[in-house]
Amino acid sequence: MKFIYTKTFQKELLKFVSNKPNLNEKVQDVLEDFQEYLFESRYYRKKLVGFEEDIHELQVGWDNRIIVQFIIKNDECYYLNFWSHSSLE
């Protein structure tokens, strides 16, 4: 499977880790674990409802999430965004 990091994901991740440098190591652990185990990853949270696409959520910590989209026919996984629940307010 090919894993693709979108520009939005890269930009938002950089914004978060610049404020919280210790978060960078945790994010790398989440990405590696998910790429190896996919839906069996200890960081996999749930499939998001309300989307036509196959969109899922990974939990980085208590508040931070990574949003991924699977395009099964091309055997690709796109990391779409990095956000926190508190950033939605």
Side-chain angles (χ1 to χ4, degrees):
M1 178 169 292
K2 184 176 180 181
F3 294 91
I4 301 164
Y5 301 96
T6 64
K7 288 181 182 181
T8 301
F9 174 79
Q10 293 175 13
K11 183 179 99 179
E12 292 300 316
L13 179 60
L14 184 61
K15 188 187 316 180
F16 270 93
V17 297
S18 66
N19 294 330
K20 301 173 186 174
N22 61 340
L23 187 60
N24 191 35
E25 187 175 312
K26 177 70 171 184
V27 169
Q28 293 307 317
D29 186 41
V30 171
L31 296 176
E32 290 171 11
D33 190 72
F34 181 70
Q35 289 175 10
E36 185 172 342
Y37 299 108
L38 294 176
F39 300 115
E40 300 300 319
S41 168
R42 62 183 174 217
Y43 301 107
Y44 178 75
R45 180 145 167 79
K46 63 183 176 181
K47 180 176 180 175
L48 299 178
V49 294
F51 296 96
E52 290 181 23
E53 299 87 4
D54 201 8
I55 308 281
H56 299 265
E57 180 180 273
L58 305 176
Q59 185 168 352
V60 177
W62 179 257
D63 190 42
N64 301 311
R65 304 289 192 266
I66 295 174
I67 307 302
V68 296
Q69 176 182 14
F70 285 93
I71 300 178
I72 302 300
K73 74 176 190 176
N74 296 333
D75 200 30
E76 294 176 338
C77 172
Y78 287 86
Y79 289 93
L80 298 179
N81 210 339
F82 184 93
W83 57 277
S84 68
H85 281 121
S86 61
S87 68
L88 297 177
E89 296 176 357

